[in-house]
Amino acid sequence: MVRSLTPKSNRILRVVTSSPEETQSFGRLLGSLLAHGDFVALIGELGAGKTCLAQGIISGLGVTSRVVSPSFNLIREYEGRLPVFHIDVYRLDDSRDMLDLDYEEYFYGSGVSIVEWADRIRDLLPAEHLEIRMWWDADHDPNTRWIEVKPNGRRYKEIVKALKERWKSESSYTPSKGVR
Amino acid sequence: MARSFPDLVLGIETSCDETAASVAKRMDSAMGLAPKLLSNVVSSQLEVHKKYGGVVPEIASRKHLEAIIPVINEAIQTAGVGPGDLSGIAVTSRPGLVGALVVGVSTAKALALAWNLPLVGVNHVLGHVYAGFVDSAPKFPFMALVVSGGHTVLIHMLSHTQYQVVGRTRDDAAGEAFDKVARLLGLGYPGGPAVDALAKRGDPNAVKFPRAHLEPESLDFSFSGLKTAVMVFMEKAKRQGRTVPVEDLAASFQEAVCDILVEKTLKAAELYNTRRVLVAGGVSANSRLREMLTDSSQRLGVEVIIPPISLCTDNAAMIAIRGLYLFEEGVRDDLYLNASADSPVS
């Protein structure tokens, strides 16, 4: 397993997955740890695996229906053990567009918000949130994805801590999963 | 003698970025009901949305609000009828952008109340199927593929009111894949026409992009991996200092999408034992898809129905026509009709 990253802080979780299915199971695990009002910011280029990870997270929140890309509708709502808002802000050129969308209703509501291309609306993100960066590398297998989970705020540090432990124990059964 | 069902229907469509209205008339022929279009007005918001590389809902709502009354007026006038001649109103009520749908639904309800006309809500995705019902209606049953920016769905149509979704996308819609790959290739929005035009000058076999077949018997689609494959290919080529003509990339990508769409649609028809296939929605305007469908129609003896290009993209004619049939089936909605983002058929 490739481990080219050096953690700057032990609070950050870095994971390498080797297939879309593995990215989704990591997402499912994260989804199972989320609660009312949690906010997940997904950052990464086209094809980085944001929607794939989001599908896992949403499934981990108990949503059994089909989860498809939110790019066309911008916002897709699901009902799992909590309300889930899956949002894609790619097409919003700046945060002003977001103000028109009543985004507060989602961002500060009682459900879980998962926002793709969150770096495009950085000034509107809640101060505390879970930041997830994803990327791939042309020098490696095209199915490999690097996932970096960074907590912003105490609540999210706890989530990352639990996520790290749980993923490690899951990984110990399947050697293909990497964590550090 | 007066008919017991409405035979002159106003259709209204505002589910995405087109504000549209149309008047369709019932014509009885030996073959049964054959709807005729008296008008078909589409006021596209495309110029506004191009700036954003897609549809931005709040802008869509505002523009719909500005356009809806003039568009309806024009549809009625072009049809050469007055509001008093209309006998029913059909409106897209789901699925789509709620803020956009609400404009059409509220207007339709107000007009139905003011003009004392029956009202029916139409599912946008099923509406697309009825673009293939202008002038002559296909016989049931048939397999319908509705493929657009927001949907990729196979529907086994048994009658106007009985249908079954037998396959759908698990991630991106085919039209969304066109938009995203167009973005990778540095083309504009909407991606479909841009890729189509470029692909005409490219080699469809230059790059063998993967076709996602999923499980052997599955009629579902997946286009997310194809988008990623294009991205990975471009990045690797760049690193290796190779230049691949953008025309070849467009053509090869388009070939992969069309291959899968045609293959799964024909497989669905075979599995459900029908020799008739109808393909509609924005992506059905794609020239390569139309070509491949026509080829396989001749080769396999399957009847292929593709609406004219003008009725493939969003319009209200398809809504008015489905409205005619729903009214005939006795389907009505009351003034509690609501807009909904989701739908079981999407």
Side-chain angles (χ1 to χ4, degrees), chain B residues 107-166:
Chain B
T107 309
K109 289 199 286 192
L111 292 178
L113 181 67
W115 294 342
N116 194 26
L117 292 173
L119 173 74
V120 70
V122 172
N123 182 303
H124 177 82
V125 179
L126 292 171
H128 272 298
V129 173
Y130 285 75
F133 278 66
V134 181
D135 296 332
S136 72
K139 274 198 211 115
F140 291 106
F142 59 86
M143 189 56 66
L145 169 72
V146 177
V147 56
S148 66
H151 311 280
T152 304
V153 57
L154 278 167
I155 312 165
H156 187 209
M157 298 289 302
L158 297 163
S159 74
H160 299 296
T161 51
Q162 286 175 292
Y163 41 81
Q164 187 194 359
V165 172
V166 298

Side-chain angles (χ1 to χ4, degrees), chain A:
Chain A
M1 185 47 64
V2 182
R3 286 175 188 170
S4 59
L5 300 165
T6 316
K8 291 183 199 82
S9 152
N10 60 9
R11 288 199 297 263
I12 294 178
L13 169 63
R14 288 185 176 88
V15 167
V16 184
T17 61
S18 53
S19 68
E21 291 73 26
E22 197 180 352
T23 301
Q24 286 180 345
S25 38
F26 179 70
R28 260 195 301 280
L29 184 60
L30 170 57
S32 72
L33 299 169
L34 296 176
H36 283 287
D38 281 344
F39 191 101
V40 180
L42 296 178
I43 300 168
E45 291 304 309
L46 202 63
K50 299 181 295 299
T51 300
C52 180
L53 181 68
Q55 285 175 327
I57 298 173
I58 295 167
S59 147
L61 280 157
V63 173
T64 51
S65 62
R66 179 181 57 126
V67 175
V68 294
S69 164
S71 301
F72 187 74
N73 267 20
L74 265 104
I75 296 171
R76 288 190 186 266
E77 300 185 27
Y78 300 92
E79 199 61 49
R81 58 184 169 82
L82 304 165
V84 186
F85 308 113
H86 185 195
I87 303 170
D88 182 334
V89 299
Y90 176 82
R91 303 212 218 95
L92 306 180
D93 270 344
D94 63 57
S95 300
R96 270 174 310 175
D97 292 327
M98 204 64 199
L99 296 172
D100 289 335
L101 293 176
D102 287 337
Y103 76 97
E104 295 101 331
E105 200 184 311
Y106 303 103
F107 284 18
Y108 299 99
S110 63
V112 171
S113 295
I114 303 161
V115 178
E116 299 194 20
W117 297 97
D119 46 334
R120 298 197 153 219
I121 53 159
R122 196 164 277 292
D123 47 337
L124 292 181
L125 297 180
E128 301 207 343
H129 63 268
L130 195 62
E131 181 180 313
I132 302 182
R133 289 181 179 276
M134 300 181 75
W135 66 96
W136 71 289
D137 189 323
D139 294 334
H140 294 98
D141 183 276
N143 283 318
T144 300
R145 290 295 181 277
W146 280 262
I147 306 172
E148 190 178 279
V149 188
K150 183 184 162 202
N152 291 308
R154 198 149 126 210
R155 153 97 191 120
Y156 297 98
K157 279 178 200 157
E158 282 167 22
I159 292 176
V160 172
K161 201 174 150 217
L163 185 59
K164 202 180 266 187
E165 282 162 11
R166 296 269 299 274
W167 184 249
K168 217 176 245 173
S169 70
E170 276 199 15
S171 307
S172 61
Y173 304 110
T174 40
S176 72
K177 291 176 183 176
V179 62
R180 58 183 300 166

Side-chain angles (χ1 to χ4, degrees), chain B residues 200-270:
Chain B
K200 285 198 167 78
R201 291 181 272 124
D203 174 8
N205 301 312
V207 187
K208 186 77 182 164
F209 286 122
R211 275 74 168 154
H213 293 275
L214 306 172
E215 305 80 25
E217 287 306 298
S218 176
L219 295 173
D220 281 349
F221 301 91
S222 169
F223 293 106
S224 175
L226 175 58
K227 163 199 74 191
T228 306
V230 174
M231 175 200 75
V232 169
F233 179 87
M234 288 175 70
E235 188 63 32
K236 286 203 165 164
K238 200 170 93 187
R239 295 231 178 159
Q240 294 160 1
R242 282 188 297 141
T243 43
V244 182
V246 69
E247 291 84 357
D248 286 354
L249 287 174
S252 300
F253 159 75
Q254 177 176 275
E255 196 72 5
V257 175
C258 294
D259 261 355
I260 278 290
L261 290 174
V262 171
E263 185 195 309
K264 294 251 175 180
T265 305
L266 293 175
K267 188 158 121 190
E270 193 189 325

Side-chain angles (χ1 to χ4, degrees), chain B residues 189-346:
Chain B
Y189 175 88
V195 171
D196 193 350
L198 207 58
K200 285 198 167 78
R201 291 181 272 124
D203 174 8
N205 301 312
V207 187
K208 186 77 182 164
F209 286 122
R211 275 74 168 154
H213 293 275
L214 306 172
E215 305 80 25
E217 287 306 298
S218 176
L219 295 173
D220 281 349
F221 301 91
S222 169
F223 293 106
S224 175
L226 175 58
K227 163 199 74 191
T228 306
V230 174
M231 175 200 75
V232 169
F233 179 87
M234 288 175 70
E235 188 63 32
K236 286 203 165 164
K238 200 170 93 187
R239 295 231 178 159
Q240 294 160 1
R242 282 188 297 141
T243 43
V244 182
V246 69
E247 291 84 357
D248 286 354
L249 287 174
S252 300
F253 159 75
Q254 177 176 275
E255 196 72 5
V257 175
C258 294
D259 261 355
I260 278 290
L261 290 174
V262 171
E263 185 195 309
K264 294 251 175 180
T265 305
L266 293 175
K267 188 158 121 190
E270 193 189 325
L271 277 172
Y272 286 85
N273 210 12
T274 169
R275 309 289 295 163
R276 213 169 288 123
V277 158
L278 187 152
V279 181
V283 177
S284 67
N286 180 275
S287 63
R288 182 64 185 135
L289 181 62
R290 293 173 93 90
E291 194 177 282
M292 282 167 87
L293 285 165
T294 313
D295 282 356
S296 38
S297 158
Q298 284 161 358
R299 201 159 30 87
L300 304 168
V302 174
E303 184 189 348
V304 175
I305 302 144
I306 319 174
I309 288 179
S310 61
L311 294 179
C312 287
T313 48
D314 289 354
N315 64 82
M318 63 192 204
I319 305 302
I321 293 170
R322 175 144 173 88
L324 274 175
Y325 286 104
L326 287 177
F327 282 132
E328 191 191 25
E329 299 281 332
V331 183
R332 302 279 189 284
D333 280 297
D334 59 23
L335 295 176
Y336 288 100
L337 176 68
N338 250 331
S340 164
D342 295 315
S343 142
V345 187
S346 67

